[in-house]
Structures are given as C-alpha cells and as structure tokens.
Amino acid sequence: MSETATAFGIKEALDALGITELNEGTSTGTQKFGNGEVLASTSPVDDALIAKVRTTSPQDYERVMETATEAYTSWRSMPAPQRGEIVRQFGNRLRELKEPLGKLVSYEMGKSYQEGLGEVQEMIDICDFAVGLSRQLHGLTMHSERPGHRMYEQYHPLGIVGIISAFNFPVAVWAWNTALAWVCGDVCVWKPSEKTPLCGIACQNIIAGVLQENDLPEGISCLINGDYKVGEMMTKDERVPLVSATGSIRMGKIVAQAVAARLGKSLLELGGNNAIIVTPDADIKMTVIGAVFGAVGTAGQRCTSTRRLIIHESVYETVKNALVEAYKQLKIGNPLDESNHVGPLIDTNAVALYKEALERVVAEGGTLVVEGGVLSGEGYESGCYVRPAMAEAQNHFEIVQHETFAPVLYLIKYTGPVSNAIALQNGVKQGLSSAIMTNNLREAEQFLSATGSDCGIANVNIGTSGAEIGGAFGGEKETGGGRESGSDAWKIYMRRQTNTINYTTELPLAQGIKFDL
C-alpha cells in the first residue's frame, strides 16, 4: 500500500468493504475465484497498485449465467414490495459504508472524495426511489369494445439484465439500473469498467451480504470482470434480453448492433457534447459557477460535463475574463485531499487525448485562453494530472464536434437572437445535456420548446451536470436514446402484456366476424 493510500485510510476502507487478500486475484458473481487473466487495478492518484483481480473466463461466465438463471425463477415470483424490502436493506447498508465506498471510488477512479461520497449518495437515493416504486408498478385499464369484457395491461419481469458501466461513475450507474431492475423482478449481471474493478467487487460484496442474510439466491446479483471480450459474451447472449451499456459512442454502436442482431433490447447512455448558452440577460456569477463546475468537475470526465460555452457577443468578454480569473483559483492534486478541486484523469491514455485536443483546436484556428498542460513533480508522479484548459473556438471545428473526456472548455461567440445560439447548441451529433443562462422568460421557454434544445436534458439557470434521480436520465441522437433512473424509466426493465377477460357466456369475435359452429 502506497504512502498516499496509508495516509488517507485506503486499507481500512478496503477492509470495511471486504476487499482483502486480492493479490492473487478474485473474480465474480458467485464470489469464487475465477480462471481468467489477472487484471491489475492501479490508482491514477499516485500510480500505486491497489490490488489484482482475476477476470472472468468463458467457463466462469457460464457458471455465472447458470446461477443467475436459477435465481430468476424464484426472485420473479416474490411480490414486488418484498423485493423492495431487499433494496431498502441494501440502501441502508450503503449508508453504513458510504465513507469507505466513497473513498475507494475516489482512489480507484480519481474523482474528488466529495464527489465519491456524492456518487454513493446517488446509490442510496435510487434505492429509496426503487423502494417506493416497488408498490407502484402499475398498468392501465382500457374499455373493451366487446360487451362483458375487461381489458388491461400489466408489466412482468424481463429476466436477466446485463449492465456494462464506465469508469467515470463506477458505482452509481450500476445502482441506477440494478435497483430498478431488482424491484421489477429481474436479476442482474454486471460488467464494471476494467479500469475500476474493485468498485464492482465492493458493491457485489455489499449486496451479497444482504442476500445471504435474507436467505436469497446469490445469483440475483452477479459480477463479471474484464475487458470488452467479457462484455461481448453478454451482448451476444440470447439469455440476456436487455443490455444496459454506458460508455463511448463507439462502444455503444458495437453493443447496439450485437444486441439487435439477436432482437434483444439495449439501453444506451453514450457520449455528450454539452453546451451552456449565455444570453445578455444571464446572471454572470451563476454562469461562472455553473460553467466552472461543469467543465472541471471529475476532471471533465462526466458524460454531462460542459464542453462548450455559447456566449452572446455583448457579454462575451465579461464572461471570458471572469472564467479566466476563476480558473486561476483552481487547486489540482490528490482528490482525497478535500482542499483540492481537480483530481487526475483516469490514465495516461486520457492525458494523451487531452493533449491532442489542445493541439488540434489551435491547428484548426482556435486560441488557447487558458493553456492547460500536464503537471509533473511531487504529488503528480502518476502522470495523470492536467490543468483545465480553455480555448476560443468555432462550433464547426472538427475537434469541437467530438467529445474529449478531459477538462477542455470551448468558448463560442454568437450574435443575434437566442435561436442562433440554440442552432449552435444543437449543431453536434450528441444530444445528452444542455443549459441556458438567462433571466428572460421568453428565451427560457424558447429553449425548452419543441424548437429549442434537442437534448434529453435541458436546464435553465443551472449547469449541464448534476442530474437528480427523480427524473429520467439520458439523451438523444448519438447519445443513444436510453433513459435510466427516475420517472417511468422502470418500464424498460419489464415486458408489457395486454390482457382481455371475457366474463360472459358468449364469445363475440373482433371486427364483428361470424364463426358459428
């Protein structure tokens, strides 16, 4: 264990989460040792080895699927409120382990400790939501055109739900899916990112304890570890009717094609290229706070991170200068130290993409307002720490049209009415999150109208990041069209069935057809 890990209590956190004796590698959904390759989890905070994990082999995968299939036969028959009680217990266990799990998230992924705690709180919140939902899995009753008939629809569990999550939210996105899927009667098989495998093991340990205490099958929650080859086993598996995948657009297209080829369902949460529009009627102080957090929070590694700031020419210089001053105040360093604002990128590959983006925006004609750069020296030995950068650019630049998963913010000037800004906002292939800063009611309503933002999330006077679990989360276009978390997102985890009951002694046929025998 490194000096950093020792100083900030990482070993104690791992012990609390049941992650011990992992140097030989462990695997998966049944908590037995696997037979795949050894995967090393290295912290971007200090480049230290945390532990080694044994990945899932094809034989391990089959054992996991058999365990999940068997568990489904009993889990689906349990009344939904009873399933909700299990989720309630899981949420309470998360409350008890919030600090160690938040600390592990921070150390293995690199986000600030406060953000790590916030991510665990999202898990707790979705559990609370799911518990209430367990008593509200409602259908509809419709009037039949045939006398003496009752027609209604109801929802039933799908079966095994496959979950593929990304490194940037290594625990919350899994919980968004699995808490809802569980109360719907599904069982889950989860492949966490190979960059954050210990977070997956920690969560599996927590729910495994709850299931054991309630004498329930361990296959209700299963874990598989490894790279894309492990994910492919699940996306091509006809025993998995729904695959929920979070990650890059490139990955999402591969998953969608594989699942569609077997006529399965996919729930995709992919890339974002999110913008904040700043109109002449914007509150500048609120704008700066929202833009800075949106651009540098999680070191720019949120799918909802602010990538573009579309600013009216009349306030452009004012906003730019305020942002430059704000960036001077940012503290970059160990994310477990709560005095720091920005932690590391996930790995040196992410650093290379960050550097490439800065080079390309200049090559395309942009100007660096805050130059950024890779940090080195004491405290930055991992090579993953960078300075948040800011560039003046044009919306049509190729680099601006793509998502760079790093703290790079593009300033784009617009002229004329807010409709011009909205056109720029919509002028990318991604459609996840968007925001407008204005005190003008007409501008706000236009932004939220059918001719306004084309994103799945559209905010007024708040930034692009920071979604609440009560609302459905997701986006349009190349973001994938999926919806997770709140509202009626639960319906994708179930199959819809229309039922008609004839309580008469006659059998009238549809469309008035006569078929007398």
Side-chain angles (χ1 to χ4, degrees), residues 69-95:
T69 300
E70 182 179 355
Y72 175 60
T73 60
S74 59
W75 181 244
R76 67 182 175 182
S77 300
M78 181 182 291
Q82 292 183 25
R83 297 193 295 257
E85 166 60 18
I86 302 305
V87 174
R88 186 191 67 81
Q89 293 180 32
F90 177 56
N92 284 343
R93 193 63 53 82
L94 289 172
R95 286 178 170 90

Side-chain angles (χ1 to χ4, degrees), residues 16 31 74 120 123 149 213 247 281 286 330 336 410 414 438:
Q31 297 300 292
S74 59
V120 181
M123 301 176 74
H149 286 61
E213 290 169 6
D281 290 315
M286 289 175 60
L330 295 175
L336 294 165
Y410 300 115
Y414 83 92
T438 182

Side-chain angles (χ1 to χ4, degrees), residues 351-373:
V351 174
L353 292 174
Y354 159 86
K355 292 168 63 178
E356 180 185 354
L358 297 184
E359 293 170 358
R360 288 179 60 182
V361 71
V362 172
E364 290 190 60
T367 303
L368 293 177
V369 178
V370 178
E371 292 190 357

Side-chain angles (χ1 to χ4, degrees), residues 141-191:
T141 299
M142 291 80 71
H143 289 281
S144 173
E145 66 183 26
R146 291 169 285 189
H149 286 61
R150 182 166 69 89
M151 185 166 61
Y152 66 97
E153 65 180 21
Q154 59 181 331
Y155 289 84
H156 294 301
L158 274 177
I160 299 175
V161 171
I163 303 168
I164 300 173
S165 63
F167 73 86
N168 59 330
F169 279 86
V171 296
V173 171
W174 167 71
W176 285 3
N177 283 272
T178 200
L180 300 190
W182 283 336
V183 298
C184 289
D186 301 316
V187 299
C188 298
V189 177
W190 176 28
K191 192 201 89 65

Side-chain angles (χ1 to χ4, degrees), residues 249-293:
I249 293 170
R250 181 191 63 81
M251 179 277 290
K253 289 181 177 179
I254 295 171
V255 169
Q257 291 176 37
V259 175
R262 57 179 177 83
L263 297 181
K265 296 200 297 184
S266 56
L267 191 169
L268 302 175
E269 298 289 355
L270 310 177
N273 195 346
N274 316 297
I276 298 177
I277 294 172
V278 185
T279 79
D281 290 315
D283 183 312
I284 301 301
K285 181 178 179 181
M286 289 175 60
T287 297
V288 171
I289 294 172
V292 171
F293 175 72

